[in-house]
Amino acid sequence: MGTSDLIQYAHALYNAHGDKAEAEAAQKAIAEETAGNTAEAEKWRAIRGHIKELRGPKST
């Protein structure tokens, strides 16, 4: 899965789940890491990073 695919997936996940998408990606990364799938865990961490960028800075 290339970078553009990860970005597209992050967009789709964010559009479907809103602010909960980042937490979902984090949970999937932890689950993959626990299962020993480090490559999949890294993909989910990258997706989470892209979702963070989509959300933008927190306003106070």
Side-chain angles (χ1 to χ4, degrees):
M1 187 178 269
T3 302
S4 63
D5 292 331
L6 293 175
I7 292 170
Q8 286 178 338
Y9 196 87
H11 274 277
L13 193 62
Y14 185 70
N15 289 335
H17 298 279
D19 289 338
K20 294 179 183 178
E22 186 179 345
E24 184 176 335
Q27 289 173 345
K28 288 186 184 271
I30 291 169
E32 292 293 347
E33 188 73 38
T34 302
N37 302 324
T38 55
E40 286 296 314
E42 285 300 316
K43 288 178 188 176
W44 281 107
R45 286 188 194 99
I47 290 168
R48 182 182 182 202
H50 292 301
I51 291 169
K52 281 177 114 173
E53 289 178 15
L54 290 172
R55 289 181 58 216
K58 293 182 180 181
S59 59
T60 56

